[in-house]
């Protein structure tokens, strides 16, 4: 059966305020529905729950203000209904509309921003300039020749071009450990840091409900420390653009200690609008809670007060407690403010994107118990849940240590290889013919790398079409080349600043030119100069800087001539029958890629090279020699992103190495289509045997690395396979390049699924061959890449035209690993696919009988079925039996749930 459905999909950009904040981290897992119990300790706790409704009182709304412009702004809000049509709503009965004042000193206009369209003030600024619209009083002329319909389209466009080519002063900030945000420093300088200020920026907030008095609040940026005269100007400019029912009640709500000082002066000197100064504590009931991001985490309490600790003191294991709502969020595992946050508060957006619990509780800092606990940096559990419930539960140092140990992943290293004993190149076809089990594959992985190891399953399965005669260049020549730069590598890895600072790591890995783009601040430039002065040319680190970073230093070091000659001879012997114009693809195959507990997908670069680069018509191809292409691929092991990902996952950098998979390049002009697919073998209890999801696009328009400039979307196909091998093909989306036809016909889908099933079955059988029956897996999820090539690929020197065909070019596992699960749990008779999804493994001794209970995470697909009712191994205890529980394994989140349950019972 085949059905069709079309819908438009857009990539939603993550807008994050990171003007002054460094990279922050910590991810928090949502609170599972089920939990169990062990452990007992007496501790102090504080719990607050708000009964405040979470929905706004009903008001009349309209689709959009009549005065709306093409840029989603309005010069005035004529009614409450118009305000609501532009407002972003949130918890605690709030609605917010942001505004900008283009010419703060001399103008008379206000730009009320559609806050469903814009999340941040500078988005309004750069969206208009990029669409050719000038900003009154703005010093920067608009960009001509571009057109965008949404903020998301701008993100897609900006992410597809080098940062150095972004117009205006646009730059991506964040990244690595927090989502990237497209940021205009110029806007915030003009709005907050220029005297006199050029722009005004703030928010109008509706606070309250029909049951209480509605407050209309003017909020300025947290870092806005302008004088009382500026506050008066805000009122004078805004009031004429608001209806009386809002303007007559408009009040300025103080957010920061600096603004409090301004407010005190306004009141003491009876300055204009001093009767409209308020603080949140004056009208938010004591103890009222609002939860903006749900979550469960643990950390040390850090109290931020004037004269005490600063936000910049926070680290990623801290739970930040603060009175006001700052504009930026440091590294933290949780955030609790005493003042409520608006739906578009910058920290609200950033906490949501980081996935950390974020809530407000009025009067929180008046709690003596919490204040004392924060003074001694006591550890605590924070749980914020959707019914506006906030719990801050103090725990012992030992309980915190246990949680940290569970949350800290064990380090990973690759088994060492003796490079002198390795060949330079091996035939993957020959290796595949001798593979019997997964243990055989794992023995080869440190030698040929993850991508080549995954290729062995493609070659071993029956009926699978792959690129012809694939070769694996082993890690031996990489390791030998690394020896030639070992002094510089050792100096870099042992440098204390390199170990402690991401900024230093970027400078040394990527070089000064890229550093200046990523770190554009004045103090960053001063740091780079100072570091270079400490490490002049002629020293190991000075030579690295002079070369433009270690990756380039490594790439530009000469390759041993004998090694190059031997490699070239092997490649010519293997691929010499190809036409001179046929490129070879050198695909990165790191030995720390697709290992237990770490994928490493997408971190490294693959490159095209030629046996005879000077014979190519395109002059750009003349430099793509075997030597340069090989070293460029090797050097990608040392790019900053890859290094940081390995560092975050505690992967030993020096234990890994780079192998290279080589086969004919897929020539763009001969690509009929290309795509990715995931193939999932389901557990025996499912009503299907397999699910397949396919994304495929016409020609060489990449699915794995699409060009966001053109907005082209692939064909999306979902396939279900029953026990008889019958396929149900559901066409979910048509390709935007072929809206009236199928990119893959039903026959092609069946052919592809048949090849993928052969690989998945082989893969599962190899895994199970190493396991006892009770531990053998039922489920498996593999990720594939494929292409359909036209006649004539690859091009042969004798002019023979090979027939077109569907080619599978990559396979890797997407299954969760067993990293961190203790040996005592690994020895049990639990299916490995169940154990990999386990949130808790416990042993229950009920008298003389002992059994095992296993709970799994239903969100880790495919769901193996023990999310609420545990898998029980051994005799089920009689009803009413007294059992002693020993927890053999639990995830960090499950451990916190168990602590909470224990403390609730005690």
């Amino acid at each position: 059966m085949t059905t069709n459905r079309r819908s438009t999909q857009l990539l939603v950009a993550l807008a994050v305020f990171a003007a002054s904040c460094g990279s922050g981290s910590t991810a928090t897992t949502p609170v599972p529905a089920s939990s169990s119990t062990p452990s007992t300790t007496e501790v102090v706790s504080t719990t607050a729950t708000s009964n405040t409704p979470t929905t706004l009182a009903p008001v009349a709304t309209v689709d959009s203000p009549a005065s709306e412009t093409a840029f989603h702004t309005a010069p005035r809000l004529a009614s409450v209904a118009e305000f609501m049509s532009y407002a972003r709503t949130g918890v605690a009965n709030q609605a917010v509309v942001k505004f900008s004042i283009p010419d703060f000193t001399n103008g008379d206009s206000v730009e009320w921003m559609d806050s469903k369209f814009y999340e941040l003030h500078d988005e309004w600024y750069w969206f208009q300039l990029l669409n050719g619209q000038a900003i009154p009083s703005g010093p920067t002329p608009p960009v001509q020749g571009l057109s965008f319909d949404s903020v998301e389209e701008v993100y897609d466009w900006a992410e597809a071009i080098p940062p150095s080519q972004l117009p205006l002063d646009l730059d991506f900030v964040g990244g690595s450990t927090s989502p990237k945000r497209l940021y205009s420093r110029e806007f915030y300088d003009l709005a907050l840091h220029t005297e006199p200020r050029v722009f005004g920026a703030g928010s109008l907030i509706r606070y309250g409900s029909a049951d209480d008095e509605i407050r209309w609040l003017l909020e300025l940026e947290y870092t806005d420390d302008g004088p009382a005269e500026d506050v008066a100007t805000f009122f004078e400019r805004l009031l004429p653009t608001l209806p009386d029912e809002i303007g007559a009640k408009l009040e300025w709500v103080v957010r920061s200690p600096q603004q409090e000082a301004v407010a005190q002066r306004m009141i003491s000197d009876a300055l204009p609008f001093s009767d409209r100064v308020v603080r949140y504590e004056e009208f938010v009931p004591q103890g009222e809670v609002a939860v903006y991001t749900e979550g469960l985490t643990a950390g040390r309490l850090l109290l931020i007060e004037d004269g005490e600790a600063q936000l910049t003191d926070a680290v990623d294991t801290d739970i930040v407690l603060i009175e006001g709502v700052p504009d930026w969020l440091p590294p933290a595992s949780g955030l609790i403010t005493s003042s409520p946050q608006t739906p578009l508060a910058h920290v609200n957006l950033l906490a949501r994107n980081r996935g950390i619990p974020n809530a407000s509780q009025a009067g929180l800092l008046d709690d003596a118990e919490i204040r004392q606990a924060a003074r001694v940096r006591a550890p605590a559990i924070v749980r914020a849940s959707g019914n506006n419930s906030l719990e801050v539960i103090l725990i012992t140092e030992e309980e915190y240590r246990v949680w940290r140990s569970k949350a800290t992943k064990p380090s990973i290293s690759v088994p060492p290889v003796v490079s002198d004993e390795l060949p330079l190149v091996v035939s993957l076809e020959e290796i595949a013919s001798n593979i019997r089990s997964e243990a055989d594959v794992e023995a080869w992985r440190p030698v040929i790398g993850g991508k080549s190891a995954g290729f062995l399953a493609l070659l071993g399965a029956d009926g699978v079409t792959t690129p012809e005669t694939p070769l694996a260049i082993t890690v031996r020549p990489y390791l030998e080349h690394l020896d030639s730069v070992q002094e510089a590598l050792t100096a870099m890895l042992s440098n204390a600043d390199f170990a402690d600072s991401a900024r230093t790591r970027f400078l040394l890995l990527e070089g000064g030119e890229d550093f200046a783009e990523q770190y554009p601040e004045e103090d960053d430039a001063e740091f780079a100069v100072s570091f270079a002065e400490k490490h002049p040319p002629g020293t190991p680190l000075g030579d690295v800087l002079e070369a433009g970073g270690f990756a380039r230093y490594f790439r530009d070091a000469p390759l041993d001539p004998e090694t190059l000659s031997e490699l070239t001879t092997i490649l010519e012997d293997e691929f010499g029958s190809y036409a001179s114009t046929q490129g070879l693809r050198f695909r990165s195959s790191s030995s720390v890629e697709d290992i237990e507990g770490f994928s490493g997908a997408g971190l490294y670069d693959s490159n095209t090279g030629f046996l005879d680069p000077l014979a190519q018509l395109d002059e750009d191809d003349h430099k793509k020699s075997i030597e340069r292409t090989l070293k460029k691929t090797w050097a990608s092991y040392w790019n900053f992103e890859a290094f940081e990902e390995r560092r975050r996952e505690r992967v030993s950098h020096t234990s890994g190495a780079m192998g290279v998979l080589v086969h004919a390049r897929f020539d763009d002009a001969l690509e009929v289509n290309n795509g990715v697919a995931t193939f999932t073998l389901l557990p025996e209890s499912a009503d299907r045997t397999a699910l397949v999801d396919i994304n495929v696009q016409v020609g060489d328009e990449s699915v794995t690395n699409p060009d966001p400039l053109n907005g082209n979307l692939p064909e999306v196909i979902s396939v279900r396979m029953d026990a008889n091998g019958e396929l149900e093909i559901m066409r979910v989306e048509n390709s935007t390049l072929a809206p009236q036809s199928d990119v893959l016909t039903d026959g092609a889908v069946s052919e592809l699924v048949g090849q993928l099933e052969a690989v998945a079955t082989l893969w599962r059988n190899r895994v199970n061959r190493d396991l006892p029956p009770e531990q053998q897996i039922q489920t498996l999820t593999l990720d594939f890449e494929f292409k359909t090539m036209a006649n004539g690929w690859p091009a042969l020197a004798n002019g023979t035209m090979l027939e077109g065909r569907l080619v599978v070019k990559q396979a890797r596992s997407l299954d969760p690993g067993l990293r961190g699960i203790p040996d005592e749990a690994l020895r049990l008779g639990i299916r490995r696919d169940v154990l990999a999804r386990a949130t808790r493994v416990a042993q229950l001794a009920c008298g003389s009988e002992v059994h095992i209970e296993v709970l799994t995470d239903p969100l880790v697909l495919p769901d193996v079925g023990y999310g609420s009712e545990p898998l029980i191994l051994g005799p089920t205890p009689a009803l009413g039996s007294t059992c002693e529980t020993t927890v053999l394994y639990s995830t960090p989140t499950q451990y916190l749930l168990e602590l909470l349950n224990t403390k609730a019972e005690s």
Side-chain angles (χ1 to χ4, degrees):
M1 179 182 74
T2 303
T3 57
N4 284 277
R5 179 173 60 82
R6 279 292 300 142
S7 65
T8 302
Q9 298 173 331
L10 291 176
L11 297 174
V12 179
L14 296 175
V16 181
F17 185 86
S20 12
C21 114
S23 295
S25 67
T26 69
T28 324
T29 308
V31 181
S34 60
S35 60
S36 303
T37 31
S39 192
T40 59
T41 317
E42 288 277 341
V43 289
V44 183
S45 69
T46 175
T47 302
T49 303
S50 171
N51 295 317
T52 306
T54 61
T55 56
L56 285 163
V59 296
T61 62
V62 294
D63 290 339
S64 62
S67 54
E68 181 181 13
T69 71
F71 297 103
H72 300 268
T73 62
R76 60 180 289 109
L77 299 174
S79 65
V80 172
E82 285 198 356
F83 168 87
M84 290 303 299
S85 72
Y86 260 23
R88 180 76 66 97
T89 59
V91 300
N93 303 303
Q94 293 185 19
V96 59
V97 174
K98 287 184 178 288
F99 65 82
S100 290
I101 300 176
D103 186 349
F104 188 82
T105 303
N106 303 309
D108 59 3
S109 65
V110 175
E111 296 276 356
W112 293 101
M113 300 155 57
D114 182 347
S115 296
K116 301 182 184 73
F117 188 85
Y118 301 109
E119 286 191 328
L120 299 165
H121 284 100
D122 66 329
E123 291 176 354
W124 159 83
Y125 179 71
W126 51 249
F127 184 77
Q128 296 206 61
L129 289 175
L130 289 174
N131 275 290
Q133 177 72 25
I135 305 291
S137 76
T140 301
V143 178
Q144 302 300 323
L146 296 177
S147 177
F148 302 97
D149 291 329
S150 68
V151 168
E152 289 78 17
E153 285 188 14
V154 176
Y155 266 81
D156 291 347
W157 161 79
E159 288 172 342
I161 61 178
S164 60
Q165 295 181 20
L166 286 173
L168 310 176
D169 69 330
L170 290 179
D171 191 18
F172 277 107
V173 294
S176 183
T177 55
S178 62
K180 290 198 300 183
R181 174 263 212 269
L182 192 59
Y183 173 69
S184 169
R185 189 170 305 280
E186 179 179 76
F187 173 82
Y188 289 103
D189 284 343
L190 296 173
L192 299 172
H193 309 306
T194 302
E195 283 292 337
R197 77 170 79 208
V198 177
F199 299 141
S203 302
L204 174 61
I205 302 167
R206 178 188 184 272
Y207 192 94
S209 68
D211 300 323
D212 304 297
E213 180 185 1
I214 292 176
R215 310 292 289 255
W216 292 97
L217 306 174
L218 163 62
E219 254 197 11
L220 303 181
E221 298 290 277
Y222 185 85
T223 53
D224 193 332
D225 56 358
E229 291 75 14
D230 280 4
V231 175
T233 300
F234 273 105
F235 276 99
E236 291 164 356
R237 297 291 295 278
L238 296 179
L239 289 176
T241 70
L242 294 171
D244 290 343
E245 55 194 316
I246 296 177
K249 295 182 178 181
L250 187 63
E251 301 167 299
W252 175 44
V253 61
V254 175
R255 297 181 63 195
S256 69
Q258 292 78 12
Q259 291 178 13
E260 178 62 35
V262 173
Q264 296 282 7
R265 182 195 161 211
M266 289 175 65
I267 294 170
S268 63
D269 294 351
L271 297 178
F273 302 101
S274 59
D275 58 336
R276 298 199 182 201
V277 175
V278 294
R279 291 87 174 169
Y280 274 114
E281 58 263 31
E282 296 173 17
F283 55 87
V284 179
Q286 190 84 352
E288 179 174 279
V289 168
V291 171
Y292 309 101
T293 305
E294 297 181 57
L296 172 67
T297 192
R300 292 193 180 279
L301 299 177
L302 177 65
L303 177 63
I304 306 295
E305 281 194 307
D306 195 26
E308 302 289 336
Q310 303 297 313
L311 275 176
T312 51
D313 296 330
V315 296
D316 58 9
T317 54
D318 286 335
I319 297 165
V320 173
L321 312 176
I322 187 169
E323 176 72 37
V325 183
D327 279 339
W328 68 280
L329 181 64
S333 62
L335 173 68
I336 308 174
T337 61
S338 187
S339 298
Q341 303 169 32
T342 72
L344 291 177
H346 296 141
V347 292
N348 190 346
L349 298 172
L350 188 52
R352 181 190 68 200
N353 290 331
R354 288 191 196 166
I356 65 174
N358 175 31
S360 66
Q361 179 183 334
L364 170 74
L365 303 190
D366 296 332
D367 188 312
E369 190 173 41
I370 287 292
R371 293 181 67 86
Q372 178 57 33
R375 285 194 184 97
V376 298
R377 305 283 276 116
I381 299 173
V382 169
R383 176 162 61 180
S385 53
N387 60 346
N388 279 345
S389 174
L390 175 66
E391 298 169 89
V392 182
I393 311 295
L394 302 183
I395 58 177
T396 67
E397 290 290 341
E398 174 60 19
E399 289 166 338
Y400 182 64
R401 184 196 66 76
V402 172
W403 179 78
R404 287 283 295 155
S405 68
K406 289 179 176 292
T408 302
K409 297 177 180 178
S411 59
I412 302 175
S413 61
V414 177
V417 296
V418 182
S419 61
D420 293 346
E421 299 177 0
L422 299 179
L424 287 176
V425 179
V426 293
S427 165
L428 290 179
E429 291 176 327
E430 291 180 10
I431 296 175
S433 65
N434 294 303
I435 295 293
R436 296 291 177 266
S437 70
E438 191 65 14
D440 295 335
V441 177
E442 292 309 307
W444 276 104
R445 192 180 302 275
V447 176
I448 60 177
K451 197 167 279 132
S452 291
F455 214 89
L456 295 175
L458 301 180
L459 295 168
D462 292 335
V464 178
T465 304
T466 70
E468 290 78 3
T469 60
L471 295 182
I473 299 176
T474 71
V475 299
R476 174 186 152 188
Y478 165 87
L479 292 172
E480 291 175 351
H481 190 64
L482 192 65
D483 283 343
S484 69
V485 295
Q486 189 61 51
E487 183 182 7
L489 177 64
T490 300
M492 181 177 71
L493 295 179
S494 62
N495 181 270
D497 292 334
F498 184 86
D500 295 338
S501 164
R503 185 168 66 167
T504 306
R505 291 193 292 275
F506 193 99
L507 176 62
L508 284 172
L509 290 168
E510 300 288 354
E513 185 175 337
D514 290 348
F515 177 88
E517 293 181 0
Q518 183 73 11
Y519 293 91
E521 295 296 323
E522 183 176 340
D523 69 309
D524 296 322
E526 293 172 356
F527 159 78
V529 170
S530 174
F531 192 89
E533 289 174 348
K534 294 177 184 176
H535 304 281
T539 65
L541 295 187
D543 291 344
V544 167
L545 291 175
E546 191 174 37
F550 183 78
R552 293 181 179 89
Y553 182 80
F554 178 76
R555 182 196 67 191
D556 294 340
L559 185 60
D560 177 70
E562 185 176 337
T563 298
L564 176 60
S565 176
E566 188 174 347
L567 284 171
T568 302
T569 297
I570 294 171
L571 294 174
E572 287 176 343
D573 288 345
E574 191 66 37
F575 302 109
S577 62
Y578 289 171
S580 61
T581 56
Q582 177 61 59
L584 300 178
R585 193 65 175 166
F586 289 70
R587 299 174 63 188
S588 58
S589 184
S590 165
S591 62
V592 289
E593 187 175 345
D594 297 330
I595 59 177
E596 180 69 47
F598 180 65
S599 166
L603 296 178
Y604 312 110
D605 296 336
S606 298
N607 298 279
T608 293
F610 296 90
L611 294 174
D612 187 0
L614 296 180
Q616 309 311 308
L617 294 177
D618 188 340
E619 288 189 6
D620 290 341
D621 289 337
H622 290 179
K623 62 184 179 182
K624 296 179 180 179
S625 65
I626 298 300
E627 178 180 10
R628 183 168 180 80
T629 302
L630 192 58
K631 292 192 298 181
K632 190 176 180 182
T633 306
W634 285 342
S636 68
Y637 186 87
W638 296 102
N639 74 68
F640 175 76
E641 181 185 3
F643 190 93
E644 290 299 286
E645 189 67 22
R646 293 193 304 266
R647 182 176 183 272
R648 188 160 42 248
E649 291 291 329
R650 305 190 68 211
V651 177
S652 169
H653 305 287
T654 53
S655 75
M658 185 68 83
V660 179
L661 169 63
V662 186
H663 57 66
R665 176 187 63 177
F666 293 100
D667 300 286
D668 292 347
L670 296 178
E671 286 191 35
V672 178
N673 57 60
N674 74 100
V676 296
T678 58
F679 188 101
T680 301
L681 291 172
L682 298 173
E684 293 175 357
S685 57
D687 60 354
R688 295 286 190 276
T689 60
L691 297 178
V692 191
D693 292 307
I694 303 168
N695 282 240
V696 61
Q697 186 57 284
V698 173
D700 65 336
E701 181 74 22
S702 178
V703 172
T704 56
N705 296 292
D707 181 355
L709 284 173
N710 54 35
N712 290 325
L713 300 173
E715 180 174 80
V716 179
I717 305 169
S718 181
V719 183
R720 298 175 182 175
M721 178 187 294
D722 66 19
N724 297 318
E726 295 293 325
L727 303 184
E728 180 185 8
I729 300 173
M730 294 166 288
R731 297 190 175 273
V732 181
E733 304 282 352
N734 291 338
S735 164
T736 54
L737 295 178
Q740 305 302 321
S741 60
D742 296 336
V743 178
L744 282 186
T745 64
D746 284 1
V749 171
S750 297
E751 178 189 354
L752 175 63
V753 171
Q755 293 196 32
L756 305 189
E757 181 189 15
V759 177
T761 302
L762 174 76
W763 199 300
R764 182 172 63 181
N765 290 343
R766 286 180 175 175
V767 170
N768 285 339
R769 190 167 285 119
D770 296 325
L771 298 172
E774 65 274 12
Q775 292 184 350
Q776 292 181 356
I777 65 173
Q778 294 179 9
T779 67
L780 178 74
T781 300
L782 299 180
D783 176 64
F784 294 92
E785 294 182 20
F786 65 91
K787 295 178 184 289
T788 303
M789 301 302 294
N791 295 341
W793 177 85
L796 301 182
N798 63 11
T800 300
M801 294 284 286
L802 298 176
E803 290 186 2
R805 60 214 179 276
L806 185 150
V807 179
V808 183
K809 63 185 284 278
Q810 182 168 304
R812 66 175 5 129
S813 172
L814 296 181
D815 282 334
L818 299 168
R819 183 181 177 191
I821 297 179
D823 289 342
E824 55 189 338
L826 290 172
R827 288 192 293 265
L828 297 171
I830 303 171
R831 280 174 27 211
R832 288 301 175 93
D833 51 346
V834 173
L835 188 58
R837 292 164 174 77
T839 59
R840 182 175 186 265
V841 180
Q843 177 180 284
L844 278 70
C846 310
S848 61
E849 295 183 332
V850 177
H851 75 276
I852 301 295
E853 291 186 359
V854 184
L855 284 170
T856 60
D857 187 346
L859 299 179
V860 181
L861 300 177
D863 180 7
V864 293
Y866 304 107
S868 55
E869 294 297 325
L871 167 68
I872 297 178
L873 303 174
T876 303
L879 193 63
S881 297
T882 301
C883 301
E884 181 179 343
T885 301
T886 302
V887 177
L888 304 178
Y889 168 74
S890 63
T891 61
T893 298
Q894 186 69 23
Y895 176 73
L896 294 183
L897 285 170
E898 291 163 358
L899 279 181
L900 290 174
N901 288 342
T902 301
K903 296 176 191 310
E905 291 176 356
S906 61

